[in-house]
Amino acid sequence: MKTLMIVWGLFTLILSVPAHAYEEHREFRVGAAGIETLKITCDAGDLFVTGNARATHILVKADIDISSKNPEKARRFAREQIELQLLEKGREAHLKSAIGRKSRYIRNAAVHLHVNVPSRIHLDIADGSGKVVLRALEGNLYVVDGSGSIDIQDSGGNVDIDDGSGGIDIRHIQGEVNITDGSGGIRIEKLDGNAVIEDGSGEISAEMVSGDLTIKDGSGHIEIRRIEGSVRLSDGSGPIDVKEVGGDVVVSRDTSGSCLISDVRGNIVQAQ
């Protein structure tokens, strides 16, 4: 019994060798004259994009974080396995962040991108994992996201999101919103346009929408407030709470959960 305890103690000690954090910073820029759309393809890591009406360039600041027991291996991994590029292709700019295959010396690797663009530029984003934060953008926003939260505020264009998992928070939007989501909570607030949401599971909250609101939901609590247009709900399960709607409210497929509807100027239609 004593021998087994000694062997286990040594084994634990070997596994608990601390990893070191290796950090590296890179910057890129390209002139924005004539650029209409920025396409971003990024791997693991957070993405922050901020618009500026006076900006004349697309500026990218990349922070590379690598966790490794061997600092030299981490430096080599950053040099050989992390791809970062910003290219101009006609009326488009392409930003790519890719992380290659990790070895046994690399525990984790991520590239966090901070991007500043002219606010007029459209964004086309394909994100692997990590949070996406978009601020003060006037162009249309198209986001395909694997996992991680999405936070969009102060946008003057349309917003189209295809999300696997993670919370979505959208506020102060002057355009149409279209969301397809696998799981995770969704919050919409102060939207000057129509909104369409198709959600697998998770809570949905929508407040202060000037247009129509359409929701197709698998499960989760739905709370709706102060919608100027009509509301159409198709819900699998979960409570529904609707209040202050200027148009009609149509609810179908509510198989379980309470359904509270009040302060509606138009007609209320409930169908199984």
Side-chain angles (χ1 to χ4, degrees):
M1 182 63 67
K2 291 182 178 179
T3 302
L4 289 175
M5 291 178 64
I6 293 172
V7 171
W8 174 252
L10 289 174
F11 186 69
T12 303
L13 178 62
I14 292 172
L15 288 181
S16 63
V17 174
H20 299 276
Y22 173 79
E23 298 179 354
E24 185 177 312
H25 180 78
R26 302 179 190 176
E27 289 192 13
F28 309 86
R29 72 167 57 207
V30 65
I35 300 296
E36 297 178 357
T37 302
L38 172 61
K39 291 191 173 184
I40 302 175
T41 303
C42 48
D43 232 327
D46 299 333
L47 172 64
F48 303 85
V49 184
T50 303
N52 184 336
R54 297 182 178 180
T56 58
H57 289 76
I58 297 173
L59 175 62
V60 179
K61 297 181 179 180
D63 294 317
I64 300 171
D65 290 335
I66 300 174
S67 179
S68 173
K69 294 180 289 185
N70 188 317
E72 183 56 37
K73 295 287 186 183
R75 280 191 290 270
R76 183 175 178 180
F77 181 84
R79 185 173 61 252
E80 298 180 356
Q81 297 296 326
I82 290 183
E83 179 184 2
L84 277 168
Q85 58 179 221
L86 176 62
L87 303 174
E88 182 181 352
K89 297 182 179 181
R91 295 182 179 180
E92 297 179 348
H94 292 239
L95 171 60
K96 181 179 180 180
S97 167
I99 300 174
R101 184 177 179 181
K102 295 188 285 289
S103 70
R104 61 189 179 94
Y105 298 101
I106 306 300
R107 292 189 176 181
N108 191 32
V111 179
H112 307 297
L113 299 173
H114 297 260
V115 185
N116 290 291
V117 302
S119 55
R120 61 173 174 78
I121 284 182
H122 306 300
L123 292 184
D124 186 342
I125 299 172
D127 180 59
S129 63
K131 62 185 175 183
V132 175
V133 179
L134 310 179
R135 292 287 187 272
L137 296 160
E138 297 300 323
N140 296 328
L141 310 178
Y142 179 64
V143 181
V144 177
D145 182 50
S147 63
S149 63
I150 299 174
D151 184 348
I152 302 175
Q153 293 187 31
D154 303 317
S155 173
N158 298 328
V159 176
D160 196 323
I161 297 174
D162 188 344
D163 181 50
S165 64
I168 298 174
D169 192 346
I170 300 178
R171 307 187 190 200
H172 304 279
I173 307 297
Q174 296 180 1
E176 309 288 306
V177 170
N178 194 319
I179 299 174
T180 301
D181 181 50
S183 63
I186 298 174
R187 178 178 176 84
I188 295 177
E189 184 178 321
K190 294 185 179 180
L191 167 63
D192 188 9
N194 302 319
V196 178
I197 300 172
E198 185 171 348
D199 181 50
S201 63
E203 296 184 357
I204 298 175
S205 173
E207 183 175 0
M208 299 177 66
V209 175
S210 68
D212 297 333
L213 174 64
T214 302
I215 297 176
K216 183 178 180 181
D217 181 51
S219 63
H221 181 203
I222 298 175
E223 183 176 4
I224 296 171
R225 295 287 187 272
R226 300 171 67 182
I227 310 299
E228 293 184 19
S230 296
V231 173
R232 181 176 295 273
L233 302 178
S234 177
D235 181 54
S237 64
I240 294 174
D241 188 355
V242 180
K243 185 179 292 186
E244 297 179 73
V245 176
D248 298 335
V249 174
V250 180
V251 180
S252 61
R253 292 184 57 198
D254 183 31
T255 57
S256 66
S258 61
C259 185
L260 302 177
I261 302 174
S262 62
D263 297 334
V264 176
R265 292 184 180 180
N267 297 318
I268 299 175
V269 180
Q270 291 184 263
Q272 295 297 329

